[in-house]
Amino acid sequence: RAANRSARKRASIHNSVAWVLPPDLTIKVFSMLDSQSLCYAAATCSMFNKCAMDPLCYANIDLTTIVPKVNNAVVSTMIQRAGKSLQSLKLGIVPGPTGSPGSCQPLVYTIRNSGDVSSFSWNEKRTRQGKESSILTRSCLYPLSGDNGATGILLRRLHLYNIERMDNASLCVALAACPSLLDLEIVGLHVELRQTLMSVSSHCRFIERLFFESSKTGRDDSLKSPTCFELVNNCPNLSSLSLRGFKLHDNKVRILVKGFRKLKYADFSTSYSITGTFLRNLGNGGGGSLLEVLILRDCMHLKEMEVARFLTAVIAGDFKFLKHLDISNREGLASEGDWYQRSYNSSLIPLQQVLEVRPDICLLAEFPSEGCFLDIDHMIDSDINSELSLPFQQSGQTSDGALVTSSLESSYNSDQGSGNEEYQDSGFVIYEESSDEVDFLIV
């Protein structure tokens, strides 16, 4: 043991002489590494380990994995090393890279249906201490509240993916410890939309980007209008909003889109109850007039008439900042009278005219060929949350149908009701506004 200590000491002295960068620059370089590479560097030698213990190296922690490899102890160690320097934290299981802005690639992952971990057992996977399984639980975010809340007070970015054991109470406690949060991304957590938005509204008032994808598509209809108003009033800086896979009604979506004065990016993909009536009169001032990206992909109840009205308003000069629009639907658009009747290549929708008048817009309108999707009756009888493995098909040449009639325009701009309101919301107002032993964490 004495010989080993002496050899390590000589090697450390040699490395400090041979390494060309001073400690402050070494720490700067280490701070640019991803979390796994930083752990590898820390395991190299005592000199690197000492530099890798600096809090600046852990300002941006990314412990996302494809299969479960990280437990609460790893997260706690990383957060404690970062201390007050923590600015970004990403945890959980990400099944693959995110798609382009126009895509609707699901990010929700369950360990039970992954072929890569088919033999996984909660009790078989152990850390090297042999005490905890290699999964994250509801207490993985508790360190953010440590040191009387000083750890999470400067956190700017929090991304959580498919942490199956996370619950509402634990997430709300974590958000309460992060008052400076600007970017929140939640995917595949078993948490309620309403409670999460209430917590964001109460504690994260500087937030600029909110991305929330449901773990159970079409089942969470917990959002209420008062919660929407509170979020709009308390989080005026929000410029990017994504609520994917929730059972959202048009009146609530309208409150959000119309209320956020700085909103530029809106994604309501796979939202089950949206018909499109919230789009009416959005371009005449308010938050909707600044939209640059609008994604309504695979919204089952989205009506072709509402899409036609919206595109007619675009042709008329509304939504001058709009650069990207996605109305693709793998089941076609719903007809005006009966959503069972699907439209695949409607001449009512002036796609070609939009591209002629606004060539700067990236317009995605991909629909299947007629009859190539599952029968609607069969689809309703089955679980609406099951993933359909149907390929998208381009609708081919767009029809050069005539523009929608003037009566259509007038009905669009009349700012009628939201369509499927559950109740009136007239009572709410939107306001303007070191040792030689290396602690090697295998990630």
Side-chain angles (χ1 to χ4, degrees), residues 196-215:
T196 302
L197 295 188
M198 288 176 60
S199 183
V200 171
S201 174
S202 300
H203 306 293
C204 309
R205 303 200 171 192
F206 299 102
I207 193 166
E208 297 176 357
R209 176 180 180 268
L210 175 60
F211 184 103
F212 197 170
E213 181 167 335
S214 175
S215 61

Side-chain angles (χ1 to χ4, degrees), residues 325-336:
L325 175 64
D326 190 349
I327 54 172
S328 302
N329 200 308
R330 59 188 169 189
E331 294 152 6
L333 297 177
S335 299
E336 179 67 15

Side-chain angles (χ1 to χ4, degrees), residues 141-177:
L141 297 177
Y142 284 178
L144 292 176
S145 305
D147 195 13
N148 295 324
T151 304
I153 195 169
L154 296 180
L155 186 67
R156 299 290 191 269
R157 183 181 297 108
L158 178 62
H159 292 187
L160 305 173
Y161 303 98
N162 302 295
I163 303 176
E164 293 194 352
R165 297 189 177 186
M166 182 64 65
D167 57 20
N168 285 291
S170 300
L171 179 60
C172 291
V173 169
L175 294 178

Side-chain angles (χ1 to χ4, degrees), residues 75-136:
V75 177
S76 178
T77 299
M78 290 276 195
I79 293 178
Q80 290 175 6
R81 290 177 182 176
K84 297 180 181 180
S85 300
L86 183 62
Q87 296 185 14
S88 174
L89 177 62
K90 299 180 181 180
L91 301 176
I93 305 170
V94 181
T98 58
S100 61
S103 69
C104 187
Q105 177 182 0
L107 301 178
V108 176
Y109 167 102
T110 58
I111 195 171
R112 289 178 290 275
N113 62 12
S114 172
D116 296 334
V117 289
S118 57
S119 60
F120 179 85
S121 169
W122 298 120
N123 297 318
E124 289 175 357
K125 298 290 184 179
R126 301 288 178 177
T127 64
R128 64 191 181 107
Q129 291 87 359
K131 296 181 180 180
E132 298 185 57
S133 60
S134 298
I135 59 171
L136 297 173

